[in-house]
Amino acid sequence: MKVHYDFSELQAVSNPVVTIGTFDGVHLGHRKILGQMREMARELHGETVLLTFYPHPRMVLHKGDHGLRLLTSLDEKKSLLESAGVDHLVIYPFSEDFSRMSAFEYVRDLLVNGLHTHTLVVGYDHRFGRNREGDFQVLQELSDVFGFNLIEIPAQKLNEIEVSSTKIRQALMSGDVETADEYLGYSYSITGEVVRGDGRGRKLGFPTANIRALDPHKLIPSSGVYKSDVQIDNKPWPCVVNIGVRPTVSDSGEMTIEAHIPGFDGDLYGKNITVCLKRRIRDEKKFGSVHELIQQINDDIATALL
């Protein structure tokens, strides 16, 4: 997959089959649409092109109050789209000036002059241009004007997929990572830098890697203890991840992500690692004593290693 930040290299793309969207999570529903695009491109002897925007439009239009929690960082999205077989990913800069572009200008400048679209594939509810003035009817009119093919993914087909980024977010926020993983088609993961904590885990006999997510907009699932795997230097290690405020040993209220990796004794400080959440074992709770906490951690480890 080739990644583009402008349109200069796209003139050589043959018969571009284009779609537009955030594609957050690149879940099974997204991949079904991308698979259909690949089939169209093959029939046309063309190539697939996905146009997305960065920063996310909500970050620009609702500064400080966007409440955005994404399933995938930009780097994660690139990797997933490549594995889904996308030929070209165009990451177009979203700005306030761009948001004021009319629907006509959007089609003319981006889809026609920029992407040289042969076939455009969009959902029935796709909106675009200033104040979201453009809709499928506008696209139909402009496809005749500019001479590109237009294919609508109807509501019925999208509903048949029964997968949406919203459903996945809801599952994660309730701690149901198994349902989220089923919709995603892969294990939900968090990549972050290992930073120094207060050392309480080591004092208890369970050293932990304290993880600070690289993307501040990444959705962190509900607090609790999770059976997980962690990728260290491309090798998976089974581990226990605690997401929460550690109420038994701290009253700071600070949300942390900590991974205890049984059997691992290396130095991870300053490294980036990825935890893949498999199953929520239990709620986070405040124990009556440190001894009770230690007993529970041992039980959690045994459960995670099953």
Side-chain angles (χ1 to χ4, degrees):
M1 182 181 77
K2 294 183 179 179
V3 180
H4 309 267
Y5 295 91
D6 58 48
F7 299 134
S8 60
E9 297 179 356
L10 289 165
Q11 294 182 12
V13 175
S14 59
N15 296 335
V17 178
V18 176
T19 194
I20 308 164
T22 303
F23 282 74
D24 187 26
V26 195
H27 53 61
L28 292 178
H30 291 144
R31 273 175 272 177
K32 187 168 184 177
I33 294 168
L34 295 173
Q36 292 172 341
M37 288 180 61
R38 288 200 308 273
E39 291 178 12
M40 293 177 203
R42 189 160 47 244
E43 292 172 2
L44 294 168
H45 302 288
E47 299 173 70
T48 57
V49 179
L50 192 153
L51 172 63
T52 194
F53 302 101
Y54 189 83
H56 192 286
R58 278 171 54 185
M59 294 182 192
V60 176
L61 300 178
H62 304 283
K63 289 187 177 72
D65 190 34
H66 52 69
L68 197 61
R69 291 295 176 267
L70 297 174
L71 300 173
T72 43
S73 67
L74 185 58
D75 285 341
E76 289 168 340
K77 186 188 297 186
K78 289 177 187 177
S79 177
L80 288 165
L81 289 172
E82 182 168 24
S83 69
V86 173
D87 296 315
H88 299 272
L89 172 63
V90 181
I91 303 172
Y92 195 87
F94 192 91
S95 65
E96 290 187 16
D97 285 343
F98 175 76
S99 72
R100 291 189 282 268
M101 180 181 285
S102 71
F104 178 86
E105 292 169 326
Y106 181 101
V107 172
R108 181 194 64 194
D109 296 349
L110 268 69
L111 301 184
V112 178
N113 295 337
L115 299 176
H116 308 286
T117 300
H118 178 281
T119 300
L120 178 64
V121 181
V122 294
Y124 72 99
D125 58 351
H126 183 68
R127 303 300 293 257
F128 60 97
R130 182 175 52 231
N131 298 322
R132 295 169 57 83
E133 65 187 10
D135 58 13
F136 191 78
Q137 182 177 344
V138 171
L139 280 175
Q140 284 182 311
E141 295 168 358
L142 293 178
S143 67
D144 290 336
V145 172
F146 290 109
F148 60 85
N149 297 326
L150 179 63
I151 295 177
E152 177 192 38
I153 304 170
Q156 180 182 357
K157 180 158 286 191
L158 288 176
N159 291 336
E160 285 173 0
I161 294 171
E162 294 183 347
V163 176
S164 71
S165 298
T166 298
K167 287 182 180 179
I168 296 168
R169 290 190 192 97
Q170 290 171 343
L172 290 170
M173 288 188 290
S174 68
D176 187 1
V177 294
E178 290 172 292
T179 294
D181 290 354
E182 183 180 344
Y183 286 155
L184 287 167
Y186 57 87
S187 294
Y188 189 72
S189 64
I190 302 168
T191 298
E193 180 186 2
V194 178
V195 297
R196 294 193 179 275
D198 54 21
R200 290 183 186 271
R202 186 172 296 278
K203 292 175 185 176
L204 294 174
F206 305 98
T208 60
N210 296 272
I211 301 165
R212 181 172 60 202
L214 295 182
D215 188 338
H217 303 295
K218 178 80 172 181
L219 189 155
I220 307 301
S222 170
S223 63
V225 177
Y226 292 84
K227 172 185 173 74
S228 309
D229 285 340
V230 60
Q231 291 285 336
I232 302 173
D233 297 328
N234 295 319
K235 178 183 177 180
W237 290 76
C239 67
V240 180
V241 171
N242 186 87
I243 298 174
V245 297
R246 305 175 302 161
T248 306
V249 298
S250 174
D251 57 5
S252 69
E254 180 185 1
M255 182 68 72
T256 62
I257 305 170
E258 295 181 296
H260 173 63
I261 312 166
F264 183 81
D265 194 32
D267 183 4
L268 294 175
Y269 289 122
K271 287 189 175 183
N272 292 340
I273 63 173
T274 298
V275 290
C276 298
L277 305 178
K278 302 293 186 181
R279 178 168 62 86
R280 191 170 185 264
I281 298 173
R282 63 173 175 86
D283 293 340
E284 184 181 49
K285 61 178 288 188
K286 183 172 184 177
F287 292 91
S289 68
V290 171
H291 178 70
E292 288 181 27
L293 172 60
I294 291 173
Q295 284 187 314
Q296 183 61 63
I297 293 174
N298 278 314
D299 289 344
D300 294 340
I301 293 170
T303 300
L305 295 181
L306 286 176

